[in-house]
Amino acid sequence: MSDANESMRDVKFWPGNVVIAEAAAAAGCDFFAGYPITPSSEIAAHMAAILPKKGGHFIQMEDEIGAMGAVIGASLAGAKALTATSGPGLSLKLENLGFGYMVEAPCVIVNVMRGGPSTGLPTHPAQADVMQARWGTHGDHPTIALVPAFHHEMYTETIRAFNLAEQLRMPVLVLIDEVLGHLSDGMVPPKPGEFEIVNRPMWDGKPEDYQPYFDDKGDVPPFLPYFEGAQWHTTGLNHDETGFPTTNPELVTKQMHRLMRKVTGNRELIDSIDYYEADDAEIGIVSFGSTARAAMVAIKKAREKGIKVGMLRPLTIWPFPNKQVEEFSKKVKALIVPEFNLGQIVYEVERSVHSDMVIKRINKVGGVPINPNEILAGIEEVA
Amino acid sequence: MSFDYLPYMRENHLPHMWCPGCGIGVVVKSVIRSFDELGWEQKDIAFVSGIGCTSRAPGYLNVNTLHTTHGRAISFATGIKMHRPDKHVVVISGDGDATAIGGNHLIHAARRNIDITVIVNNNNIYGMTGGQYSPTTPLGAKAATAPYGNLEPSFDLAKLLIGAGASYVARGHVGNGRQLAKFIKDGFAHNGFSFIEVVSNCHTQFGRRNKMADPMNMVKWISDRATPLKKFDEMSDSEQEKHFPVGVLHKDESRPEYTDTYSNLISSLQDKA
Ligand SMILES: Cc1ncc(C[n+]2csc(CCOP(=O)(O)OP(=O)(O)O)c2C)c(N)n1
């Protein structure tokens, strides 16, 4: 067989949800807990099929709250754990998501966004949960959220989500939308060895000396799963380095700042941006996920008309790349922010740039994605 | 020689936060004795709880301990047990924690028959938050949020769990620690979902509002009503209303345990590969 045929065989026509499930398994995920919800359910179905074959475990819980709990429990016992859901389900997971940040349990949460609020548009896409992803759970907390836009990115970003979760000992979110989740597109999944897999830093001292939140080497304390002889205590109450509750203001302050520093202090590791036609751009677009794909088409069309447009597309939406957006804004006369909601990420863009910067919002709800011509019209307006 | 509880305790975290005379102490002692009698190694035990006074128990025990969110302990425990089916997973919970906010997880874990033991310290009240009525507060009893007496009928937890599919259900009470320890040990040893309801005293929040501010009065009120199952069955309806049955109320060793079933699935798929 010729090489060309061989490589055609490697091409997979998977819906995005299956890409994510396959990528999770490739990243070493061995536990999934979920609760059915459109448009994310295929991720659960695929995990149910593949995990037991690999000796891993799948469970359909009684609700999303329980699914998030099971994921964190499994993670503390040493699993690489995943859950997937959509808007209403993410709303239910939020309290336990906060618990995950507090106890520093690595895990990955996929949210396949649909129209909201409430039951909203269960079978139609939206990008309206980006602020919920950042601020949804109560209290101050760090957040990492990745927003792939293409099938190959859903693969690589899911792996990166696991790596970041493990490396920084915290929950990491992946946000896609109904279009990406259900659209089948061709891609060649990278082979094992072609991507890096990072596992959580492990405690290598004596189990009896283990302190679950002692951080002499950095802001990410090493991990030791349950049942390894450390008998450590895990609580959602603020705690000291030994893991036991404290209300001592200094210790609580220290803990909270360290949690935040895991993200603020590791931006080089976490940040990821794709620049598209940005070098000579006079008009800038900031967009993400499936909307950014429409923006790419609009940019091509605009350039055919001689308008120099380029795009900054975050793959990591949280933490938001404020500095990079500021830099980008300095080179252009106007910024356009197309997002499939009534205006969320534009607030981050606005606070990244000079107050007299021209910023054009392009927003939409109703379940029909923003199309390239709508973005093109916006470009022509500011050109 | 008297039993030495200290090897199982995190002595440096004592004194505990419970009121003098609280029923939780009897439960914790029974749990420790059962660990010991079964020869379970401390490193092989995960002790999981939600939020409430009862849920503070794991913090004092030198095993793997997980103090989760209100009502959700069983879901975390399910994740642990599935990932490590070879380990012992025990949940301790208050009546509000387990049967109000956590009721869904409770019945579904019972239905799956996953090998987790759930011990509910049923003190008929929300202790930690200041004595609001719970799903097990008796009809007519006073609570912070039932100043004119509780208007809601209460759950019979044992019946609820039998109905949900738990394969071991027992009820004990804090007036008889030895018997309680036996039920807890039996539940631990049982391969499947086991549920032990402990009728317990919160004299501070329940007793004070219901003419039993002294713990001894409240334990007496409990002990006087506790009736062995056989005797209870022979009572008239009106007598039964004034009592509650204690004992092993249900035991079914024929039901497959969930993680066993899942392990079989894994091996059957491996065979095919
Ligand atoms: C989501 C949520 N809702 C409410 C609370 C407040 N809360 C803490 S403990 C508790 C009830 C405790 O009662 P119970 O479970 O019966 O346990 P006890 O304190 O009596 O042992 C409540 C309502 C909470 N912590 N989390």
Side-chain angles (χ1 to χ4, degrees), chain A residues 30-31 52-63 65-66 69-70 72-74 76-79 95-96 99 226-229 231-237 244, chain B residues 10 13 42-46 56 58-59 62-70 72 75-76 78-80 82-85 87 104-105 108 112 258 262 265-266 269-270:
Chain A
D30 54 1
F31 185 86
K53 289 190 191 162
K54 295 166 163 275
H57 292 85
F58 166 91
I59 187 164
Q60 182 171 306
M61 292 296 285
E62 48 278 0
D63 57 33
I65 305 173
I72 295 171
L76 294 169
E95 186 195 8
N96 280 344
F99 185 87
Y226 290 165
F227 312 119
E228 296 290 331
Q231 279 96 263
W232 57 285
H233 184 57
T234 319
T235 177
L237 288 164
F244 287 90
Chain B
R10 290 170 171 150
H13 291 282
Q42 282 160 258
K43 72 174 175 48
D44 294 333
I45 302 167
R56 286 301 190 96
N62 188 14
V63 295
N64 303 282
T65 54
L66 175 56
H67 176 226
T68 69
T69 45
H70 191 30
R72 316 301 171 193
S75 64
F76 287 76
T78 299
I80 297 173
M82 288 208 62
H83 189 64
R84 294 302 302 268
K87 302 297 179 187
N104 203 25
H105 309 304
H108 287 279
R112 288 184 192 106
Y258 184 66
Y262 206 98
L265 170 68
I266 291 176
L269 292 169
Q270 245 74 26

Coordinates of all heavy atoms in Angstrom, one line a residue, chain A residues 30-31 52-63 65-66 69-70 72-74 76-79 95-96 99 226-229 231-237 244, chain B residues 10 13 42-46 56 58-59 62-70 72 75-76 78-80 82-85 87 104-105 108 112 258 262 265-266 269-270:
Chain A
D30 N -8.1 7.7 33.1 CA -8.6 6.3 33.5 C -9.9 6.4 34.3 O -10.3 5.4 34.9 CB -7.5 5.5 34.2 CG -6.9 6.2 35.4 OD1 -7.4 7.3 35.7 OD2 -6.0 5.6 36.0
F31 N -10.5 7.5 34.4 CA -11.8 7.6 35.1 C -12.7 8.7 34.5 O -12.2 9.8 34.2 CB -11.5 7.9 36.6 CG -12.8 7.9 37.4 CD1 -13.3 6.7 38.0 CD2 -13.5 9.1 37.6 CE1 -14.4 6.7 38.7 CE2 -14.7 9.0 38.4 CZ -15.2 7.8 38.9
P52 N -13.4 0.8 30.0 CA -13.2 -0.5 30.6 C -12.2 -1.4 29.8 O -11.6 -2.3 30.3 CB -14.6 -1.1 30.6 CG -15.4 -0.3 29.7 CD -14.8 1.1 29.7
K53 N -12.1 -1.1 28.5 CA -11.2 -1.9 27.7 C -9.7 -1.6 28.1 O -8.9 -2.4 27.9 CB -11.3 -1.5 26.2 CG -12.6 -2.0 25.5 CD -12.5 -1.7 24.1 CE -13.8 -2.0 23.4 NZ -13.8 -1.4 22.1
K54 N -9.5 -0.4 28.7 CA -8.2 -0.1 29.1 C -8.0 -0.3 30.6 O -7.0 0.2 31.2 CB -7.9 1.4 28.8 CG -7.9 1.8 27.4 CD -8.0 3.3 27.2 CE -7.6 3.7 25.9 NZ -6.1 3.9 25.7
G55 N -9.0 -0.9 31.2 CA -8.9 -1.2 32.7 C -9.3 0.1 33.5 O -9.1 0.1 34.7
G56 N -9.8 1.1 32.8 CA -10.3 2.3 33.5 C -11.8 2.1 33.9 O -12.4 1.1 33.7
H57 N -12.3 3.2 34.5 CA -13.7 3.1 35.0 C -14.5 4.2 34.5 O -14.1 5.4 34.5 CB -13.7 3.1 36.6 CG -13.1 1.8 37.1 ND1 -11.8 1.7 37.4 CD2 -13.7 0.7 37.5 CE1 -11.6 0.5 37.9 NE2 -12.7 -0.2 38.0
F58 N -15.8 3.9 34.1 CA -16.8 4.9 33.7 C -17.9 4.7 34.7 O -18.3 3.6 35.0 CB -17.2 4.6 32.3 CG -18.5 5.4 32.0 CD1 -18.4 6.6 31.4 CD2 -19.8 4.8 32.2 CE1 -19.6 7.3 31.1 CE2 -20.9 5.5 31.9 CZ -20.8 6.8 31.3
I59 N -18.5 5.8 35.1 CA -19.8 5.7 35.8 C -20.7 6.9 35.5 O -20.3 8.0 35.3 CB -19.6 5.7 37.4 CG1 -20.9 5.4 38.1 CG2 -18.9 6.9 37.9 CD1 -20.8 4.9 39.5
Q60 N -22.0 6.5 35.2 CA -23.0 7.5 35.0 C -23.6 7.8 36.4 O -24.3 7.0 36.9 CB -24.0 7.1 34.0 CG -25.1 8.1 33.7 CD -26.0 7.7 32.6 OE1 -25.5 7.4 31.5 NE2 -27.3 7.7 32.8
M61 N -23.4 9.0 36.9 CA -23.9 9.3 38.2 C -25.3 9.8 38.2 O -25.9 10.0 37.1 CB -23.0 10.4 38.8 CG -21.6 9.9 39.2 SD -21.5 8.6 40.4 CE -21.8 9.5 41.9
E62 N -25.9 10.1 39.3 CA -27.3 10.4 39.4 C -27.5 11.9 39.1 O -28.6 12.3 38.9 CB -27.8 10.1 40.8 CG -27.0 10.6 42.0 CD -25.8 9.6 42.3 OE1 -25.7 8.6 41.6 OE2 -25.1 9.9 43.2
D63 N -26.5 12.7 39.1 CA -26.6 14.1 38.6 C -25.1 14.6 38.4 O -24.2 13.9 38.7 CB -27.4 15.0 39.6 CG -26.8 14.9 41.0 OD1 -25.6 14.8 41.2 OD2 -27.6 15.0 42.0
I65 N -23.7 17.0 40.0 CA -23.0 17.3 41.3 C -22.2 16.1 41.7 O -21.1 16.1 42.1 CB -24.0 17.7 42.4 CG1 -24.9 18.9 41.9 CG2 -23.3 18.0 43.7 CD1 -26.1 19.2 42.9
G66 N -22.9 14.9 41.6 CA -22.3 13.7 42.0 C -21.2 13.3 41.0 O -20.2 12.8 41.5
G69 N -18.2 15.2 42.1 CA -17.7 14.6 43.3 C -16.9 13.4 43.1 O -15.8 13.2 43.6
A70 N -17.5 12.5 42.2 CA -16.8 11.2 41.9 C -15.5 11.5 41.2 O -14.5 10.8 41.5 CB -17.7 10.4 41.0
I72 N -13.5 14.1 41.6 CA -12.5 14.5 42.5 C -12.1 13.4 43.5 O -10.9 13.2 43.8 CB -13.0 15.7 43.3 CG1 -13.2 16.9 42.4 CG2 -12.0 16.1 44.4 CD1 -13.9 18.1 43.0
G73 N -13.0 12.6 43.9 CA -12.7 11.4 44.7 C -11.7 10.5 44.0 O -10.7 10.1 44.6
A74 N -12.0 10.2 42.8 CA -11.1 9.3 42.0 C -9.7 10.0 41.9 O -8.7 9.3 42.0 CB -11.7 9.0 40.7
L76 N -8.2 12.0 43.9 CA -7.5 12.0 45.1 C -7.0 10.6 45.4 O -6.0 10.4 46.1 CB -8.4 12.4 46.3 CG -8.8 13.9 46.3 CD1 -9.9 14.2 47.3 CD2 -7.6 14.8 46.5
A77 N -7.7 9.6 44.8 CA -7.2 8.2 44.9 C -6.1 7.9 43.8 O -5.7 6.8 43.7 CB -8.4 7.2 44.8
G78 N -5.8 8.9 43.0 CA -4.7 8.7 42.0 C -5.1 8.7 40.6 O -4.3 8.6 39.7
A79 N -6.4 8.8 40.3 CA -6.9 8.7 38.9 C -6.6 10.0 38.1 O -6.6 11.1 38.7 CB -8.4 8.3 38.9
E95 N -20.1 24.0 42.7 CA -19.7 24.0 44.1 C -18.6 23.0 44.3 O -17.6 23.3 44.9 CB -20.9 23.6 45.1 CG -20.5 23.7 46.5 CD -21.4 23.0 47.5 OE1 -22.4 22.3 47.0 OE2 -21.2 23.2 48.7
N96 N -18.7 21.8 43.7 CA -17.6 20.9 43.8 C -16.4 21.2 43.0 O -15.3 20.8 43.3 CB -18.1 19.5 43.4 CG -18.9 18.8 44.5 OD1 -18.9 19.2 45.7 ND2 -19.7 17.8 44.2
F99 N -14.4 23.1 45.3 CA -13.8 22.1 46.2 C -12.5 21.6 45.6 O -11.5 21.5 46.2 CB -14.7 21.0 46.5 CG -14.2 20.0 47.5 CD1 -14.4 20.2 48.9 CD2 -13.5 18.9 47.1 CE1 -13.9 19.3 49.8 CE2 -13.0 18.0 48.0 CZ -13.2 18.2 49.4
Y226 N -4.3 8.7 48.1 CA -4.7 8.0 49.3 C -4.1 6.6 49.2 O -3.8 6.1 48.1 CB -6.2 7.9 49.3 CG -7.0 9.2 49.6 CD1 -8.3 9.3 49.3 CD2 -6.3 10.3 50.1 CE1 -9.0 10.5 49.6 CE2 -7.0 11.4 50.4 CZ -8.3 11.5 50.1 OH -9.0 12.7 50.4
F227 N -4.1 5.9 50.3 CA -3.8 4.5 50.5 C -2.3 4.2 50.3 O -1.9 3.1 50.1 CB -4.6 3.6 49.5 CG -6.0 3.9 49.5 CD1 -6.7 4.3 48.3 CD2 -6.8 3.7 50.6 CE1 -8.0 4.6 48.3 CE2 -8.2 4.0 50.6 CZ -8.8 4.4 49.5
E228 N -1.4 5.3 50.3 CA 0.0 5.1 50.2 C 0.7 5.2 51.5 O 1.9 5.3 51.5 CB 0.6 6.1 49.2 CG 0.1 5.9 47.7 CD 0.5 4.6 47.0 OE1 1.6 4.1 47.4 OE2 -0.2 4.1 46.2
G229 N -0.1 5.3 52.6 CA 0.6 5.3 53.9 C 0.7 6.7 54.5 O 1.2 6.9 55.6
Q231 N -2.0 8.8 55.0 CA -3.3 9.1 55.7 C -3.5 10.6 55.9 O -3.6 11.2 57.0 CB -3.2 8.5 57.1 CG -3.6 7.0 57.1 CD -2.4 6.1 57.1 OE1 -2.0 5.7 56.0 NE2 -1.7 5.9 58.2
W232 N -3.5 11.4 54.8 CA -3.6 12.8 54.9 C -5.1 13.2 54.9 O -6.0 12.4 54.5 CB -2.8 13.5 53.9 CG -3.1 13.2 52.4 CD1 -2.7 12.1 51.7 CD2 -3.7 14.1 51.4 NE1 -3.0 12.2 50.4 CE2 -3.7 13.4 50.2 CE3 -4.3 15.3 51.5 CZ2 -4.2 13.9 49.0 CZ3 -4.9 15.8 50.3 CH2 -4.8 15.1 49.1
H233 N -5.3 14.4 55.4 CA -6.7 14.9 55.5 C -7.0 15.9 54.4 O -6.1 16.8 54.1 CB -6.8 15.6 56.9 CG -8.2 16.1 57.2 ND1 -9.3 15.2 57.1 CD2 -8.8 17.3 57.5 CE1 -10.4 15.9 57.4 NE2 -10.1 17.1 57.6
T234 N -8.1 15.8 53.8 CA -8.5 16.7 52.7 C -9.8 17.4 53.1 O -10.8 16.7 53.5 CB -8.8 15.8 51.5 OG1 -7.8 14.8 51.4 CG2 -8.8 16.6 50.2
T235 N -9.8 18.7 53.0 CA -11.0 19.4 53.4 C -11.2 20.7 52.5 O -10.2 21.3 52.1 CB -11.0 19.8 54.9 OG1 -12.2 20.6 55.2 CG2 -9.8 20.7 55.3
G236 N -12.5 21.0 52.3 CA -12.8 22.3 51.6 C -12.7 23.5 52.5 O -12.8 24.6 52.0
L237 N -12.5 23.3 53.8 CA -12.2 24.4 54.6 C -10.8 24.9 54.3 O -9.9 24.2 53.9 CB -12.2 24.0 56.1 CG -13.6 23.6 56.7 CD1 -13.4 22.8 58.0 CD2 -14.4 24.9 57.0
F244 N -5.0 20.4 57.5 CA -6.1 20.6 58.5 C -6.6 22.0 58.5 O -5.9 22.9 58.3 CB -5.6 20.1 59.9 CG -5.4 18.6 59.9 CD1 -4.2 18.0 59.6 CD2 -6.5 17.8 60.3 CE1 -4.1 16.6 59.6 CE2 -6.4 16.4 60.3 CZ -5.2 15.8 59.9
Chain B
R10 N -6.0 11.1 65.6 CA -5.0 12.1 65.4 C -5.0 12.9 66.7 O -5.7 13.9 66.8 CB -5.3 13.0 64.2 CG -5.2 12.2 62.9 CD -5.8 12.9 61.7 NE -5.5 12.3 60.5 CZ -6.2 12.4 59.4 NH1 -7.4 13.0 59.5 NH2 -5.9 11.8 58.3
H13 N -4.9 16.7 67.1 CA -6.1 17.5 66.7 C -7.2 17.5 67.7 O -8.3 18.0 67.5 CB -6.6 17.1 65.3 CG -5.6 17.4 64.3 ND1 -5.5 18.7 63.8 CD2 -4.6 16.7 63.6 CE1 -4.5 18.7 62.9 NE2 -4.0 17.5 62.8
Q42 N -4.9 0.9 58.7 CA -5.3 2.3 58.6 C -5.0 2.9 57.2 O -5.8 3.7 56.7 CB -4.6 3.1 59.7 CG -5.3 2.9 61.0 CD -4.4 3.3 62.2 OE1 -3.9 2.4 62.9 NE2 -4.3 4.6 62.5
K43 N -4.0 2.5 56.6 CA -3.6 3.1 55.3 C -4.6 2.6 54.2 O -4.6 3.2 53.1 CB -2.2 2.8 54.9 CG -1.9 1.4 54.5 CD -0.4 1.3 54.0 CE 0.2 0.0 53.7 NZ -0.6 -0.9 52.8
D44 N -5.3 1.5 54.4 CA -6.3 1.0 53.4 C -7.7 1.5 53.6 O -8.6 1.1 52.8 CB -6.3 -0.5 53.5 CG -5.0 -1.2 53.1 OD1 -4.2 -0.5 52.4 OD2 -4.7 -2.3 53.6
I45 N -7.9 2.5 54.5 CA -9.3 3.0 54.8 C -9.4 4.4 54.3 O -8.5 5.2 54.6 CB -9.6 2.9 56.3 CG1 -9.4 1.5 56.8 CG2 -10.9 3.5 56.6 CD1 -9.4 1.4 58.4
A46 N -10.5 4.7 53.5 CA -10.8 6.1 53.2 C -12.1 6.4 54.0 O -13.1 5.6 54.0 CB -11.1 6.3 51.8
R56 N -17.4 16.2 60.9 CA -16.1 16.6 61.3 C -15.4 15.3 61.9 O -14.2 15.4 62.1 CB -16.2 17.6 62.5 CG -16.5 19.0 62.0 CD -15.5 19.5 60.9 NE -15.6 20.9 60.6 CZ -15.0 21.9 61.2 NH1 -14.1 21.6 62.2 NH2 -15.2 23.1 60.9
P58 N -14.1 12.5 60.5 CA -12.9 12.0 59.9 C -11.7 12.7 60.2 O -10.6 12.1 60.4 CB -13.3 12.1 58.4 CG -14.7 12.0 58.3 CD -15.2 12.7 59.5
G59 N -11.8 14.0 60.5 CA -10.6 14.8 60.8 C -9.8 14.3 62.0 O -8.6 14.5 62.2
N62 N -6.9 8.7 62.2 CA -5.7 8.6 61.4 C -5.9 7.5 60.3 O -5.2 6.5 60.3 CB -4.5 8.2 62.4 CG -3.2 8.3 61.7 OD1 -3.1 8.8 60.6 ND2 -2.2 7.7 62.3
V63 N -6.7 7.9 59.4 CA -6.9 7.1 58.1 C -6.9 8.1 57.0 O -6.7 9.3 57.2 CB -8.1 6.2 58.2 CG1 -8.1 5.2 59.3 CG2 -9.4 7.1 58.3
N64 N -7.1 7.7 55.8 CA -7.2 8.6 54.7 C -8.6 9.3 54.8 O -9.6 8.7 54.7 CB -7.2 7.9 53.3 CG -5.9 7.1 53.2 OD1 -4.8 7.7 52.9 ND2 -6.0 5.8 53.4
T65 N -8.6 10.6 55.0 CA -9.8 11.3 55.4 C -10.2 12.4 54.4 O -9.3 13.2 54.0 CB -9.8 11.8 56.8 OG1 -8.7 12.7 57.0 CG2 -9.7 10.7 57.8
L66 N -11.5 12.5 54.1 CA -11.9 13.4 53.0 C -13.2 14.1 53.5 O -14.3 13.4 53.7 CB -12.1 12.7 51.7 CG -12.8 13.4 50.5 CD1 -12.0 14.7 50.2 CD2 -12.8 12.5 49.3
H67 N -13.1 15.3 53.8 CA -14.2 16.2 54.3 C -14.7 17.0 53.1 O -14.1 17.9 52.7 CB -13.6 17.0 55.4 CG -14.6 18.0 56.1 ND1 -14.2 19.3 56.3 CD2 -15.9 17.9 56.5 CE1 -15.2 19.9 56.9 NE2 -16.2 19.1 57.0
T68 N -15.8 16.6 52.5 CA -16.2 17.1 51.2 C -17.2 18.3 51.3 O -17.1 19.1 52.2 CB -16.8 16.0 50.3 OG1 -18.1 15.6 50.9 CG2 -15.9 14.8 50.3
T69 N -18.1 18.4 50.4 CA -19.1 19.4 50.4 C -20.4 18.8 51.0 O -20.6 17.6 51.1 CB -19.4 19.9 49.0 OG1 -19.5 18.8 48.1 CG2 -18.3 20.8 48.5
H70 N -21.4 19.7 51.4 CA -22.6 19.3 52.1 C -23.4 18.4 51.2 O -23.9 18.8 50.1 CB -23.4 20.6 52.4 CG -24.5 20.4 53.4 ND1 -24.5 19.4 54.4 CD2 -25.7 21.0 53.5 CE1 -25.6 19.4 55.1 NE2 -26.4 20.4 54.6
R72 N -22.5 15.6 49.7 CA -21.9 14.9 48.5 C -20.9 13.9 48.8 O -20.3 13.3 47.9 CB -21.3 16.0 47.6 CG -22.1 17.3 47.4 CD -23.4 17.0 46.8 NE -24.3 18.1 46.7 CZ -25.5 18.1 46.5 NH1 -26.2 17.0 46.2 NH2 -26.3 19.2 46.5
S75 N -20.8 10.6 46.8 CA -20.4 10.7 45.4 C -18.8 10.7 45.3 O -18.2 10.0 44.5 CB -20.9 11.9 44.6 OG -20.5 13.1 45.2
F76 N -18.2 11.4 46.2 CA -16.7 11.4 46.3 C -16.3 9.9 46.6 O -15.3 9.4 46.0 CB -16.2 12.3 47.4 CG -16.3 13.8 47.0 CD1 -17.5 14.5 47.1 CD2 -15.1 14.5 46.6 CE1 -17.5 15.8 46.8 CE2 -15.2 15.8 46.3 CZ -16.4 16.5 46.4
T78 N -17.8 7.2 46.0 CA -18.0 6.4 44.8 C -16.8 6.5 43.9 O -16.3 5.4 43.4 CB -19.3 6.8 44.1 OG1 -20.4 6.7 45.0 CG2 -19.5 6.0 42.9
G79 N -16.3 7.7 43.7 CA -15.1 7.8 42.8 C -13.9 7.1 43.4 O -13.1 6.4 42.7
I80 N -13.7 7.2 44.7 CA -12.6 6.5 45.3 C -12.7 5.0 45.2 O -11.8 4.3 44.8 CB -12.5 6.9 46.8 CG1 -12.2 8.4 47.0 CG2 -11.4 6.1 47.5 CD1 -12.3 8.9 48.4
M82 N -14.5 3.2 43.1 CA -14.3 2.7 41.7 C -12.9 2.7 41.3 O -12.5 1.7 40.6 CB -15.2 3.6 40.8 CG -16.6 3.3 41.0 SD -17.6 3.5 39.5 CE -17.0 2.4 38.4
H83 N -12.1 3.7 41.6 CA -10.7 3.7 41.2 C -9.9 2.7 42.0 O -9.0 2.1 41.5 CB -10.1 5.1 41.3 CG -8.8 5.2 40.7 ND1 -8.5 5.0 39.4 CD2 -7.5 5.4 41.3 CE1 -7.2 5.2 39.1 NE2 -6.6 5.4 40.3
R84 N -10.3 2.5 43.3 CA -9.5 1.6 44.1 C -10.5 0.6 44.8 O -10.7 0.6 46.0 CB -8.7 2.3 45.2 CG -7.6 3.2 44.7 CD -6.6 2.4 43.8 NE -6.0 1.3 44.5 CZ -4.8 1.4 45.2 NH1 -4.2 2.5 45.3 NH2 -4.3 0.3 45.8
P85 N -11.1 -0.4 44.0 CA -12.1 -1.3 44.6 C -11.5 -2.2 45.7 O -12.2 -2.8 46.4 CB -12.5 -2.1 43.4 CG -11.9 -1.5 42.2 CD -10.8 -0.6 42.6
K87 N -9.9 -1.2 48.2 CA -9.8 -0.5 49.5 C -11.1 -0.4 50.2 O -12.1 -0.6 49.6 CB -9.2 0.9 49.3 CG -7.8 0.8 48.6 CD -6.7 0.1 49.4 CE -5.4 0.1 48.7 NZ -4.4 -0.7 49.4
N104 N -30.2 12.1 47.1 CA -30.1 11.5 45.8 C -28.9 10.6 45.7 O -29.0 9.4 45.2 CB -30.0 12.6 44.7 CG -30.5 12.1 43.4 OD1 -31.2 11.2 43.2 ND2 -30.0 12.8 42.3
H105 N -27.8 11.0 46.2 CA -26.6 10.2 46.2 C -26.8 8.9 47.0 O -26.3 7.8 46.7 CB -25.3 10.9 46.6 CG -25.2 12.3 45.9 ND1 -25.1 12.4 44.6 CD2 -25.1 13.5 46.4 CE1 -25.0 13.7 44.2 NE2 -25.0 14.4 45.3
H108 N -29.0 6.3 45.3 CA -28.4 5.7 44.1 C -27.2 4.8 44.4 O -27.0 3.8 43.7 CB -28.1 6.8 43.1 CG -29.4 7.3 42.4 ND1 -30.0 6.7 41.4 CD2 -30.2 8.4 42.7 CE1 -31.1 7.3 41.1 NE2 -31.2 8.3 41.9
R112 N -27.0 0.9 43.3 CA -25.9 0.3 42.7 C -25.3 -0.9 43.5 O -24.6 -1.7 42.9 CB -24.8 1.3 42.5 CG -25.1 2.3 41.4 CD -23.9 3.3 41.2 NE -24.3 4.4 40.4 CZ -24.5 5.6 40.9 NH1 -24.2 5.9 42.2 NH2 -25.0 6.6 40.1
Y258 N -21.3 -3.7 43.0 CA -21.0 -3.0 41.7 C -19.6 -3.0 41.2 O -19.4 -3.2 40.0 CB -21.5 -1.5 41.9 CG -21.4 -0.7 40.7 CD1 -22.2 -1.0 39.6 CD2 -20.5 0.3 40.6 CE1 -22.1 -0.3 38.4 CE2 -20.4 1.1 39.4 CZ -21.2 0.8 38.3 OH -21.0 1.5 37.2
Y262 N -18.2 -4.5 37.7 CA -17.4 -3.7 36.8 C -16.0 -4.4 36.5 O -15.6 -4.4 35.3 CB -17.1 -2.2 37.3 CG -16.9 -1.3 36.2 CD1 -17.9 -0.5 35.7 CD2 -15.6 -1.2 35.6 CE1 -17.7 0.4 34.7 CE2 -15.4 -0.3 34.5 CZ -16.4 0.5 34.1 OH -16.2 1.4 33.0
L265 N -16.6 -6.9 34.0 CA -16.6 -6.3 32.6 C -15.2 -6.1 32.1 O -14.9 -6.4 30.9 CB -17.4 -5.0 32.7 CG -17.4 -4.2 31.4 CD1 -18.1 -4.9 30.3 CD2 -18.0 -2.8 31.6
I266 N -14.4 -5.5 32.9 CA -13.0 -5.2 32.5 C -12.3 -6.5 32.0 O -11.7 -6.6 30.9 CB -12.2 -4.5 33.6 CG1 -12.7 -3.1 33.8 CG2 -10.7 -4.5 33.3 CD1 -12.1 -2.3 34.9
L269 N -13.6 -7.9 28.7 CA -13.2 -7.1 27.5 C -11.7 -7.4 27.3 O -11.3 -7.4 26.1 CB -13.4 -5.6 27.8 CG -14.9 -5.2 27.8 CD1 -15.0 -3.8 28.3 CD2 -15.5 -5.3 26.4
Q270 N -10.9 -7.7 28.3 CA -9.5 -8.0 28.2 C -9.4 -9.3 27.5 O -8.5 -9.5 26.6 CB -8.8 -8.0 29.5 CG -7.8 -7.0 29.8 CD -8.4 -5.6 30.0 OE1 -9.6 -5.5 30.5 NE2 -7.7 -4.5 29.7

